[in-house]
Amino acid sequence: MPTLWNILYKTLVREYYRQNTGFLFLVLMFGFGILRPEDHIALAAYVFASPFLLLLLFGIWALYHLKILFFVRQRFLWDSHTFLYHLVLVPKSVRWALLWAAQMMLWLPVVAYAVFVGYYGWKIGQQTAILSTAGFLLILPLTGVWAYEHRLYRPNPDTRLSQLAAYINRRFTKPYWSYFILYLFNQAPVLLFLTKAFTCLLVVGVCKLYPTDTYDERLFSLAGSAIGMVHVVLLLHLYEFEHVQLPLLRNLPFTLVQRFVNYSSLFTLLMLPETIFLIRYLPKGVSLLYAIEWWCLLISLLWLIFGRFLQKHHTMEHLLKLGIYTFIVLYFVIMFRLPVLLIVGLCLTVGVLLFNRHYYRSEYLIDSSAIAPRPED
């Protein structure tokens, strides 16, 4: 049994946290940081006192649960992980115990936050809501165990294209900038939805944070910087998608100017939800001109991150450092009131220069050990 657990831990648990380091760090900052301690206590009181807010919290946790399910089930489909199907030879009770333990380890961030806010909810006398939350946290992982069990006994799922999808594919020609969006909807829908849900909630939260006070535009700039860093993982998927799924893309007869327009259109489409929410909830104290500058900041950050990927191949371990260092620099630059347009110009210039120099030279390294420093270096 310890040997089996060691296998599951290394192939599922450790890999999940390794590949989602940046995302989990931002969730950690949102769940345990940003707000003051008294604000977290007030938030716990509001959540456990309102059935609607409690159900909304359950819904957010369920989305995170779906993200975990998608990750594990994708690992079952990998050729390198076919040995996991030998778990069907293990007694059912042992197999379920191992899968449940792995699921609870993946479920650990939610449990930690639930304990954190549940402690204060219990102190204010919301025992019924706390017990309901505890039951939800223990029962929902069992659905994950059932899903894994279902996949273990069906190693080759039948994937058929619906007639409607086949008709659309034959009837309409898709522009290039839509390829990656469709890829995300098909291959990483949970990641796309959670990323957009988090960033859109961040936009709404910043717009609603001080409804009666004069807004400091630096707050929006900091939120825009955080949103740009959240999209690091999506841009890594873009980098991998083009190198793995579209290896002939760089041989197509497009100029760099045409490619720049295509990527700018893609980045604009990626930032469309945040732009819509900003326009919808834009406070009266913030000018429309600044909203345009804020949008340009998002696009320039995407160009900067994507250009950095083209310059050097990054694994998930490096993403956390990349996001933290960039956000720290942007934090001090914004707090010292450097004009947003100047930040946009610097980020866009660096991103475009990296794109122009490294687009045809970039190389995707499947084996992360290939980027480790050699002794002679």
Side-chain angles (χ1 to χ4, degrees):
M1 182 122 175
T3 303
L4 293 175
W5 166 247
N6 191 34
I7 293 174
L8 290 179
Y9 173 78
K10 290 183 178 180
T11 57
L12 299 179
V13 178
R14 191 170 68 181
E15 282 299 304
Y16 174 80
Y17 285 107
R18 184 184 68 84
Q19 296 196 22
N20 293 276
T21 302
F23 171 76
L24 292 173
F25 172 77
L26 292 172
V27 172
L28 181 67
M29 291 295 297
F30 184 77
F32 297 97
I34 300 179
L35 300 178
R36 297 171 298 178
E38 52 268 28
D39 293 332
H40 283 289
I41 297 174
L43 179 62
Y46 292 146
V47 168
F48 291 113
S50 172
F52 173 76
L53 292 179
L54 187 60
L55 289 176
L56 181 62
L57 185 63
F58 285 175
I60 296 175
W61 289 347
L63 292 175
Y64 179 78
H65 178 65
L66 291 176
K67 175 179 173 61
I68 295 174
L69 292 183
F70 181 79
F71 174 85
V72 175
R73 286 167 66 90
Q74 285 296 107
R75 287 301 178 277
F76 284 152
L77 294 176
W78 283 16
D79 294 337
S80 59
H81 288 59
T82 53
F83 62 90
L84 292 175
Y85 290 105
H86 289 88
L87 286 173
V88 297
L89 303 177
V90 179
K92 186 174 183 179
S93 58
V94 177
R95 183 171 65 250
W96 275 65
L98 290 170
L99 293 175
W100 186 81
Q103 182 67 17
M104 290 304 296
M105 288 293 294
L106 297 173
W107 193 235
L108 195 59
V110 173
V111 175
Y113 182 73
V115 172
F116 174 70
V117 298
Y119 170 76
Y120 296 103
W122 187 274
K123 290 180 65 175
I124 61 176
Q126 299 294 335
Q127 285 82 2
T128 303
I130 298 299
L131 293 176
S132 301
T133 303
F136 179 83
L137 294 177
L138 293 176
I139 294 175
L140 189 61
L142 292 178
T143 63
V145 176
W146 175 85
Y148 307 150
E149 181 83 358
H150 184 269
R151 174 60 64 221
L152 287 175
Y153 281 95
R154 294 165 179 80
N156 296 308
D158 185 15
T159 56
R160 296 182 179 179
L161 196 64
S162 66
Q163 294 183 357
L164 177 60
Y167 172 78
I168 293 176
N169 291 337
R170 291 193 303 266
R171 183 66 178 82
F172 300 100
T173 301
K174 302 181 184 66
Y176 163 73
W177 47 262
S178 67
Y179 290 179
F180 178 62
I181 302 298
L182 295 174
Y183 168 80
L184 288 178
F185 275 107
N186 290 328
Q187 301 297 327
V190 178
L191 173 64
L192 177 62
F193 182 82
L194 289 178
T195 301
K196 290 303 170 182
F198 176 78
T199 54
C200 290
L201 286 175
L202 183 59
V203 172
V204 175
V206 171
C207 292
K208 295 291 187 179
L209 189 59
Y210 302 111
T212 59
D213 297 337
T214 302
Y215 267 82
D216 189 344
E217 293 180 346
R218 292 179 298 175
L219 180 63
F220 280 91
S221 300
L222 291 175
S225 302
I227 291 172
M229 295 306 103
V230 170
H231 283 78
V232 168
V233 179
L234 288 182
L235 291 180
L236 176 62
H237 277 269
L238 172 62
Y239 173 75
E240 294 177 343
F241 168 71
E242 292 190 342
H243 284 77
V244 178
Q245 305 292 336
L246 296 175
L248 294 178
L249 179 62
R250 284 163 176 74
N251 295 327
L252 296 179
F254 295 132
T255 64
L256 282 177
V257 175
Q258 291 175 315
R259 297 178 190 273
F260 174 81
V261 172
N262 285 332
Y263 282 115
S264 298
S265 301
L266 172 60
F267 295 157
T268 301
L269 189 60
L270 278 177
M271 289 301 172
L272 184 60
E274 292 82 359
T275 306
I276 293 175
F277 274 91
L278 178 67
I279 295 175
R280 170 62 179 81
Y281 295 100
L282 187 66
K284 295 181 179 179
V286 179
S287 64
L288 183 60
L289 178 61
Y290 178 79
I292 297 175
E293 296 178 358
W294 184 85
W295 177 84
C296 293
L297 176 64
L298 298 183
I299 302 300
S300 65
L301 288 176
L302 294 187
W303 266 111
L304 176 64
I305 297 169
F306 185 63
R308 179 59 175 160
F309 279 133
L310 294 176
Q311 181 189 26
K312 180 181 178 181
H313 177 88
H314 286 275
T315 58
M316 293 302 295
E317 292 91 342
H318 299 92
L319 286 180
L320 179 60
K321 294 181 181 179
L322 180 67
I324 291 176
Y325 294 156
T326 305
F327 183 78
I328 290 175
V329 172
L330 289 172
Y331 174 82
F332 285 105
V333 166
I334 292 171
M335 294 305 293
F336 280 100
R337 297 184 181 277
L338 192 70
V340 176
L341 286 179
L342 182 57
I343 300 175
V344 171
L346 291 174
C347 294
L348 188 60
T349 301
V350 174
V352 172
L353 288 177
L354 293 175
F355 171 77
N356 181 66
R357 183 173 183 179
H358 299 284
Y359 181 77
Y360 292 107
R361 303 178 183 179
S362 63
E363 182 180 1
Y364 178 74
L365 303 176
I366 298 178
D367 184 7
S368 60
S369 62
I371 65 176
R374 294 175 295 180
E376 59 268 23
D377 294 336

